[in-house]
Amino acid sequence: MIMDVTFLGTGSAYPSPHRGASALVLRTEGDCWLFDCGEGTQTQLMRSPLRAGRISKVFISHLHGDHLFGLPGLLCTISLNTNPDPQQNLNCVDIYGPRGLRHFLRVTLGLTGSQLLFPYAVHELEPTADQSPEEGQLSLEMTAERGPLHPQERPGRTIPLDDSSDSYLLFEDKKFVVKAFRLFHRVPSFGFCIKEHDHPGRLKTEVLKELGLKPGPLYGRLKAGESVTLESGRVVLPTDVQEESIPGRKVCIFGDCSSVLGEGALSLCKGADVLVHEATLGNEYREKAVDHGHSTPEMAAAVASACCARKLVLYHFSQRYKPSSLQKEGDEEDVSELKRQAEEALQGSGVEVALAEDLLTLPIPLRRPR
Amino acid sequence: MIMDVTFLGTGSAYPSPHRGASALVLRTEGDCWLFDCGEGTQTQLMRSPLRAGRISKVFISHLHGDHLFGLPGLLCTISLNTNPDPQQNLNCVDIYGPRGLRHFLRVTLGLTGSQLLFPYAVHELEPTADQSPEEGQLSLEMTAERGPLHPQERPGRTIPLDDSSDSYLLFEDKKFVVKAFRLFHRVPSFGFCIKEHDHPGRLKTEVLKELGLKPGPLYGRLKAGESVTLESGRVVLPTDVQEESIPGRKVCIFGDCSSVLGEGALSLCKGADVLVHEATLGNEYREKAVDHGHSTPEMAAAVASACCARKLVLYHFSQRYKPSSLQKEGDEEDVSELKRQAEEALQGSGVEVALAEDLLTLPIPLRRPR
C-alpha cells in the first residue's frame, strides 16, 4: 500500500509567498488526512497533485491561527467541488483537535452562511493544565460550544486523556490506529501518532504444495490467521506456512512545542518510520525559540533520538529561512544549516534527517520483513 | 494628493493560485484602506508594493467567507510586524462591516490566543430584512456579540440605516466622508462610497499682486475661505482671487450583489470617478448569476450608467476566467469578453471600462478644474 506525506506549508507564524502556513497531508490508498490547516492551505492544495475533495480527516495540533485559519475556507471549497446530490455525500469529515475547535468552526461557518454539502464532526481533545503556561490557557467558558449545531454538524466525541497510557485514542479502523499525545507550547498543543497495523506475511506456497494444499478457501483462512486441519488429521498453523508479518508503518507528526509532556510522546513514537518535528529557529536562537514555545534542530533531534526514529523531518521554519531553491549567496540565514545542526546532534544514531519544503512529497515505504 | 486602488484578489468563491479571493486597497497619502479580506489577502499584500502595517481601516462588504476569512490572519500578521512598544501603537484600526463581524473577530482572535499589539474597533452596520432572501438572514441571536471584549478591542459603534438618505454614515474627517449603501445578495451586502472633500482652488497670484497683497497670513485666510479687508477698506472675497475649487474624487466599491436596494446606491454614487462592481459571470449566464446573488457585465454597466460614473472597473470573477496573462488560445472562457460585454452595454455613454486583475494598481487622478 502506497503511503506518503506531502508538505503544503512549512512556514511558521504566517503564510508568505515562499512558505505557506502549517499544513501537511498523509496519503494512503485513496485517503488523504490533513494535519493542520493554516491560511492558504486550499491554494497550496491546488498547487499540489492532491485533491481537496479526497480529505476525509483533519487533525489540528493546536489553535494558533497559523495552523487553523485555513480550515473554514477549505471546508467551503471542498463543498463547492462536491456532488450536490445529498445521497452522494454521506461520508462525514472527521475533525480532531483541541477543545474550542467545535466552537471555532460553528461560529466561522455559521456567521458566513457557509452551507456545506457534506456532514462533519469535531472530536475534541481535552488538554491538561500543564500543557501551557497559565496565560496560554483558555477558559472553559471561552472554549465551550454554544448554540445549535451547524446544519451539517454531527455530534463529535470529547476525548479525555487516558492516564494509563498518557495518550488520547482518536480512532482505530481496519488499517490504522491513531492516537494523540501531549506537548508543551504557549497554548495546549498535541502530536499525532498514526500506526498502520502489521501486514500478514506471505504464504509459503512451496510448503503448502508439499502439504497437498491447493489455492482456495483454506489459503484465505490461513492468511487470516486461522489454523486448518487437513484430511490426514494434521493441523497446519498459520506460522508453519506464512512468512513473518510485515510491520505496519508509524508516522508521528508533532505540533508546535518546546518539549514533550509526560510519557505519551516518547512511548507512542518509539521506532517511528517518520517523525515530523518543528524546528522554528536554529540552535543559536534556542532561548528565543523556547521563550516562544518552539524548538531548534538540536531539540528536535533529541526527540527523534529518544524515539529511535528512522527519519526525522524538520518543518515549521521561521519565515527568515527561505526555501533552498530561493537561497542566494550571502543570505544571512540558510535553511540547510538547520539540517546540518540536526545531523550533527544525531551523528552515529542512524537517524536520517530531511528538510520539509512546500509541495515536497516524501514516500514512506514498507519495511522489508526482518 | 496621490490616490490609487490596488486589487489584491479578484476571484469569486475561493482563492486560487491565479486569482486571490476578494480584497482591494484604496491608498491615499500615507493611508491604506482595505476593502474585503478573503483568505490569502496577507500573502497577496506581500506580493504587492503595499505594506500591511499601513492599513488603518478595513471595510467588509458582507460576511461570506471569500470576503472575510483572511481578516483574523491579516490582523495577526500586522501585529507581528508592529513595534512592541505600546506607546507606539495607539492608533486604533477601525473595521466596518455587517452586524455579526464583531462576534466573528472576537471568537476567531480569542480562541486562537491572538494577542494583537494595537487596538481595534468593529463598527457594525445594521442590515435591513430586505437585503437578502429569508434563508440568507442570520438570527439576531447568532450575530449578537457575547462575552468579554478582546483585550485590544475598543467598543465600536452600531450604525443604523439613515432612512432619509437611505445610507449609513461611517465617518467624516478632514479629507473624506465615507458612507455605505445597501445591496441585494444572498446575505446582506453593502457598498461603500468614499468621497474626498473638494480642494480649494489656487489663488490667482496676479490678481493678488494687483491688489497689493503679498504672500503671508492674508493668503492663508483667503485660501481658507475667509474674506479679507484691505487697508483701503476694500473687502476682498475669496472668490475674487481664487480659481474654481477642484472637485474631490469619488470612489464607489460595491459588495457582491444582484441589484442595488433602495435609493442609496445610485444617489451616493452619482458621478463616481471610479465605480468598482462585481461581474461574476458573463451575460450568457445571467440566470445563474442572479440565482446566486451575483451580476453580469451588463448588469454592472447598467449601474455605472445610471450613476454617470466615469470609469467602471469589473472585478470578482468566477474562477473559470483566467487572468488575461494566462489566457491560452482555445480556452473556453475569456475574461476580456466580460469587458467587451460591459463596453457594449455602455456604448455612447462615455463610461470607460476596465478589468481588475490581481496586483493591478489603478491611479485615480484629480479632475482638472472645470
Side-chain angles (χ1 to χ4, degrees), chain B residues 44-93:
Chain B
Q44 293 291 83
L45 264 167
M46 291 174 207
R47 289 192 176 101
S48 83
L50 305 171
R51 288 175 52 193
R54 280 289 171 91
I55 293 172
S56 55
K57 294 185 196 297
V58 178
F59 303 81
I60 301 295
S61 65
H62 63 297
L63 296 183
H64 273 158
D66 59 329
H67 295 250
L68 177 58
F69 282 152
L71 186 54
L74 177 73
L75 294 175
C76 292
T77 300
I78 294 177
S79 181
L80 282 173
N81 293 305
T82 293
N83 188 319
D85 173 5
Q87 288 310 310
Q88 301 287 318
N89 303 304
L90 302 172
N91 289 336
C92 185
V93 172

Side-chain angles (χ1 to χ4, degrees), chain A residues 120-176:
Chain A
Y120 79 92
V122 181
H123 309 291
E124 288 190 337
L125 283 68
E126 293 279 6
T128 59
D130 49 353
Q131 278 184 262
S132 62
E134 205 172 326
E135 67 269 21
Q137 288 165 30
L138 299 174
S139 68
L140 289 178
E141 165 77 20
M142 198 173 205
T143 52
E145 55 180 308
R146 278 182 214 89
L149 271 67
H150 183 278
Q152 286 287 22
E153 186 181 349
R154 304 291 172 262
R157 288 185 296 134
T158 296
I159 311 174
L161 180 71
D162 171 43
D163 286 319
S164 67
S165 65
D166 201 354
S167 69
Y168 300 78
L169 175 63
L170 305 195
F171 64 91
E172 178 161 9
D173 63 16
K174 279 184 184 171
K175 293 181 186 165
F176 297 96

Side-chain angles (χ1 to χ4, degrees), chain A residues 187-202:
Chain A
V187 300
S189 179
F190 297 90
F192 301 100
C193 173
I194 301 94
K195 173 71 179 74
E196 185 186 26
H197 295 315
D198 292 348
H199 300 265
R202 289 186 187 184

